[in-house]
Amino acid sequence: MKLENIIQGKAYVLGDNIDTDQIIPAEFLTLNPAIAEEYRQFGRHALAGVPPAQGGLPKGHVLFHKNETDLVSDYQIIVGGRNFGCGSSREHAPIALDAAGIKAVVAEFYARIFYRNAVNGGYIVPAETAERLCEKVCTGDELRINLEACIMENLTTGEKYSLRPLGEVVPILEAGGVFPYARSKGMLPS
Amino acid sequence: MIAYIVLLALRFSNELPAQGGLLDLPPMRIWEWKMAAQTLTEKILARHSGKSSVEPGENIWVDVDILMTHDVCGPGTIGVFHQNFGREAKVWDKDKVVIIPDHYIFTADKMANRNVDVLRQFVKEQGLPHYYDVGSERYKGVCHIALPEEGHTRPGEILLGTDSHTCTAGAFGEFATGIGNTDAGFVMGTGKTWLKVPPTLRFVFKGDMPPYLMAKDLILAVIGDIGCDGATYQAMEFDGEGVYALNIEERMTLCNMAIEAGGKNGIIAADQKTIDFVKSRDKASKPFLVEKSDAGARFARELVYDVRTLRPVVAKPHSPDNRAYVDECKGTKLDRAYIGSCTGGKMTDFRAAAKILAGKEVKIDTFVVPATTEVARNLKTEKLGNHTLEEIFLNAGAKIGEASCAACLGGPSDTFGRLNQAIRCISTTNRNFPGRMGHKQAEVFLASPLTVAASALTGLITDPREFLS
């Protein structure tokens, strides 16, 4: 993934403590993300562990994939609450979101291993907001994130929300992950 | 000062890799040394980054002592390593890479078996000495228990593993934390990673532990107090006579669940028990450094517990911080009991369960899963009264599985003990988010082995004090 300043897409809203078992249940960890075709398959199982009532807030019971066999979701931005990505260290979690077509997650804060994996693997943008957006944004709303301006606009409602600056992880995200970053800095031979 | 002299000696004896080069870290200079009071976590991180001291929030590059991976994250890590360092590249230090298949072992799932083959092939190509292959005499089971059993944990070191419960090894006075495949691939090729120095939270346990409590009760009480995000990005140091009275396995249970509060690492300064354990296990007798937090070290927060006043605790569905005291939810009907995992499948856990189950029969399906093959062997030989622990469990009507992670994290559908229906289970494992043990509508209560065993006998959540005379 290359970091794009503008990220626009439909929102899929989740609550607090969305752990990595919900993002990608353990039964699918037999797929090896190092194999391109299996990487794509993770997209189909992304968010498969979210209990139906908690998927697609505020109503819930909103499917993340239109059809069960779809690899890619119609949604491009996930809005979550507190402690997004807690639990297991599995990098398959940001991988599954990336494979499902998610470009960014906007949450109040992240569990540290998920955040690190998202950045170092260059899979998705883990944006943070001081506002509790999982109670303001509705699943299906069209969102537009401007990373440089640290603003997210809800095009459906016209509301604007401020995002925290991504700070020191920007160069890693811009490079596309920790390996390209380390090469660009001469830490690793290119 | 003594620690610093030891440190210098280690540097000059090449025990610590020379700094500079790849990541251009500054060399440590003796005149930089000053008496800044530091926590144990800060000391370890400073030493591994070639600095005399570090500050919370500082980003540093550190040298890694041990990198561990397993069958679930190993294939992805190996893929990252090959992709970035080349198909012919060698790991940075063969002696520092430990590979322990443990997650999906006793399953007919072809993909799961394929992943163990990926590990096997890599180990063969690289000539790695520390591999514990499935189906061989060397097979161990759960990595976090296998690491200390096989002598891969030492005070003062940095251990990184592709598993969130890698923090278990903090019980040996080292910095241990979980990382992803990309980070692990980077470490595999360079022996280095960047870390943000965490502020340290200090948890002090005072008083003698009552016989009806276990480390699991203490850590569930802590997580209930601070929340499952209460230690995010922070180190959790455990201290006090209540901690040092615990045996090594119970200390591992405390540190194991630091991640359930979002902690970066859990840590307990080494004492004589730690030193004796480590020396008895490390065949290579590698030197290690025993340190503790300085008097005057800065802790972001300190919580003090009097263990004499605590009661048995459960975490109700669906979060490890959803704390309730057993006496508040006793009588809740259960379908299954599960005793196993890195946090609840050690000998101390089974001794506790056997004490309750001896001579009685369980009322609900009860699954017993030893963490490692060593624990499994000990169940066959260690006795309580006239029976081995294994006999006690079998006579009580429990089913005993093979050493592995098994149903702690669900896994393939044929996994021993997996919750394939929306049933209610009480478990000695460490995590109960939705779907963790299989079915996403299943309900998991986390509790100590004593509480789980007592509840297995009644089919209801039961206070272990009812069965302890």
Side-chain angles (χ1 to χ4, degrees):
Chain A
M1 184 198 76
K2 275 282 178 203
L3 191 62
E4 292 160 10
N5 182 42
I6 304 292
I7 300 170
Q8 186 169 331
K10 267 166 63 176
Y12 190 79
V13 182
L14 297 164
D16 294 327
N17 300 324
I18 299 299
D19 79 305
T20 52
D21 272 275
Q22 293 182 69
I23 298 170
I24 183 74
E27 62 193 287
F28 305 117
L29 301 186
T30 55
L31 294 165
N32 180 357
I35 298 167
E37 177 47 34
E38 292 181 33
Y39 189 106
R40 279 194 290 278
Q41 290 297 323
F42 276 108
R44 180 178 159 196
H45 305 299
L47 301 187
V50 176
Q54 276 120 59
L57 299 177
K59 286 185 185 158
H61 297 282
V62 179
L63 295 175
F64 183 59
H65 299 85
K66 209 183 284 171
N67 305 299
E68 213 178 292
T69 52
D70 290 352
L71 299 182
V72 174
S73 166
D74 280 351
Y75 302 95
Q76 293 80 36
I77 297 172
I78 287 176
V79 175
R82 298 161 57 87
N83 204 24
F84 191 92
C86 59
S88 156
S89 64
R90 62 190 68 162
E91 192 159 315
H92 315 72
I95 286 172
L97 297 181
D98 177 37
I102 293 296
K103 301 289 176 211
V105 178
V106 182
E108 285 162 71
F109 64 91
Y110 296 85
R112 54 164 287 277
I113 306 177
F114 177 89
Y115 187 85
R116 205 178 154 103
N117 288 341
V119 170
N120 280 353
Y123 304 112
I124 50 164
V125 175
E128 291 185 326
T129 160
E131 290 182 72
R132 191 160 170 77
L133 296 188
C134 64
E135 289 173 0
K136 292 184 175 163
V137 175
C138 296
T139 294
D141 285 358
E142 185 77 10
L143 302 177
R144 187 168 191 270
I145 296 172
N146 183 326
L147 287 175
E148 246 166 55
C150 294
I151 290 224
M152 181 164 83
E153 192 176 356
N154 188 335
L155 300 175
T156 306
T157 63
E159 284 184 312
K160 283 186 181 175
Y161 320 104
S162 62
L163 303 175
R164 290 209 181 94
L166 285 168
E168 57 204 349
V169 302
V170 167
I172 302 178
L173 285 169
E174 276 177 347
V178 74
F179 276 102
Y181 171 78
R183 274 188 213 103
S184 75
K185 293 285 168 195
M187 294 173 182
L188 293 176
S190 45
Chain B
M1 191 64 202
I2 292 166
Y4 190 68
I5 292 164
V6 172
L7 186 57
L8 277 182
L10 284 170
R11 281 183 67 82
F12 290 121
S13 69
N14 289 326
E15 286 301 323
L16 291 177
Q19 303 302 327
L22 177 68
L23 296 164
D24 202 25
L25 290 162
M28 183 163 56
R29 283 182 289 262
I30 193 160
W31 55 85
E32 280 182 354
W33 182 75
K34 52 182 185 289
M35 283 292 284
Q38 295 206 91
T39 69
L40 176 52
T41 294
E42 288 158 8
K43 283 183 182 181
I44 295 171
L45 294 180
R47 189 155 39 79
H48 285 77
S49 65
K51 291 170 184 263
S52 55
S53 67
V54 290
E55 295 276 336
E58 194 178 332
N59 281 322
I60 54 170
W61 286 91
V62 295
D63 293 310
V64 177
D65 293 301
I66 297 286
L67 173 71
M68 187 281 301
T69 190
H70 51 46
D71 55 303
V72 162
C73 295
T77 297
I78 292 165
V80 169
F81 174 77
H82 280 151
Q83 192 189 335
N84 289 284
F85 295 100
R87 194 64 190 74
E88 304 303 317
K90 293 290 177 193
V91 302
W92 101 100
D93 188 335
K94 284 200 290 196
D95 200 40
K96 294 182 174 177
V97 177
V98 181
I99 302 186
I100 308 176
D102 61 354
H103 275 59
Y104 306 156
I105 307 304
F106 302 100
T107 171
D109 189 297
K110 285 195 176 70
M111 300 281 274
N113 297 334
R114 184 267 324 248
N115 287 345
V116 177
D117 288 337
V118 173
L119 300 182
R120 217 170 258 148
Q121 177 68 23
F122 184 70
V123 164
K124 199 172 148 197
E125 286 169 11
Q126 298 277 335
L128 301 181
H130 306 301
Y131 177 56
Y132 300 92
D133 200 8
V134 180
S136 79
E137 292 251 316
R138 285 173 62 79
Y139 175 69
K140 291 294 301 180
V142 182
C143 58
H144 309 300
I145 312 306
L147 281 168
E149 282 181 355
E150 293 299 310
H152 299 299
T153 53
R154 276 170 295 273
E157 292 198 344
I158 292 184
L159 183 150
L160 300 180
T162 59
D163 191 289
S164 63
H165 293 111
T166 303
C167 54
T168 310
F172 300 92
E174 64 183 309
F175 178 88
T177 194
I179 56 173
N181 300 348
T182 300
D183 275 343
F186 195 99
V187 175
M188 214 173 231
T190 65
K192 292 174 188 293
T193 196
W194 69 269
L195 292 172
K196 191 188 276 289
V197 178
T200 298
L201 306 175
R202 188 163 177 257
F203 300 87
V204 180
F205 291 94
K206 295 193 159 163
D208 293 330
M209 191 104 125
Y212 47 85
L213 290 183
M214 298 188 72
K216 189 56 156 293
D217 297 291
L218 306 190
I219 192 65
L220 287 176
V222 167
I223 299 165
D225 280 344
I226 68 173
C228 66
D229 55 13
T232 300
Y233 283 94
Q234 299 176 93
M236 297 173 76
E237 182 170 333
F238 302 100
D239 202 352
E241 73 261 20
V243 169
Y244 289 102
L246 297 174
N247 69 23
I248 290 293
E249 292 186 347
E250 286 280 87
R251 296 182 196 180
M252 289 165 72
T253 300
L254 272 187
C255 291
N256 174 278
M257 290 188 66
I259 182 66
E260 307 314 328
K264 184 167 196 158
N265 64 311
I267 196 161
I268 299 171
D271 66 355
Q272 197 57 46
K273 282 185 199 172
T274 326
I275 295 168
D276 292 344
F277 181 94
V278 168
K279 284 189 172 168
S280 73
R281 294 293 178 152
D282 184 6
K283 296 169 204 89
S285 302
K286 284 190 195 166
F288 55 84
L289 188 57
V290 173
E291 297 162 290
K292 59 179 186 176
S293 290
D294 292 322
R298 286 159 304 169
F299 295 100
R301 192 177 169 194
E302 181 170 292
L303 276 84
V304 179
Y305 293 83
D306 183 342
V307 296
R308 291 163 298 193
T309 64
L310 291 174
R311 291 128 69 197
V313 182
V314 297
K316 296 188 290 183
H318 293 284
S319 178
D321 65 356
N322 195 7
R323 175 195 45 194
Y325 292 102
V326 170
D327 48 39
E328 292 169 343
C329 55
K330 68 178 182 185
T332 304
K333 204 176 166 320
L334 298 163
D335 303 300
R336 179 171 296 188
Y338 187 94
I339 309 173
S341 86
C342 49
T343 192
K346 306 179 289 304
M347 281 310 289
T348 304
D349 303 308
F350 291 121
R351 280 183 205 116
K355 201 159 53 177
I356 302 258
L357 295 175
K360 301 193 177 68
E361 269 183 47
V362 298
K363 280 240 174 71
I364 48 177
D365 285 342
T366 299
F367 293 82
V368 167
V369 187
T372 64
T373 47
E374 181 175 320
V375 173
R377 282 194 298 275
N378 289 342
L379 291 182
K380 290 180 193 292
T381 54
E382 187 169 316
K383 284 187 171 179
L384 183 69
N386 295 323
H387 295 284
T388 65
L389 300 192
E390 184 182 84
E391 286 165 352
I392 289 169
F393 296 139
L394 293 174
N395 291 344
K399 302 177 183 75
I400 303 182
E402 307 256 21
S404 72
C405 298
C408 173
L409 78 161
S413 57
D414 61 350
T415 301
F416 182 78
R418 187 180 191 274
L419 307 186
N420 287 329
Q421 283 97 38
I423 58 175
R424 189 180 288 151
C425 176
I426 190 161
S427 174
T428 67
T429 54
N430 42 30
R431 197 170 274 161
N432 62 344
F433 293 115
R436 172 68 180 179
M437 292 185 73
H439 198 284
K440 59 184 170 183
Q441 257 101 36
E443 293 188 351
V444 177
F445 286 75
L446 306 177
S448 79
L450 285 173
T451 301
V452 172
S455 304
L457 290 179
T458 61
L460 309 167
I461 293 181
T462 300
D463 195 315
R465 283 173 284 192
E466 292 180 24
F467 289 96
L468 291 167
S469 49

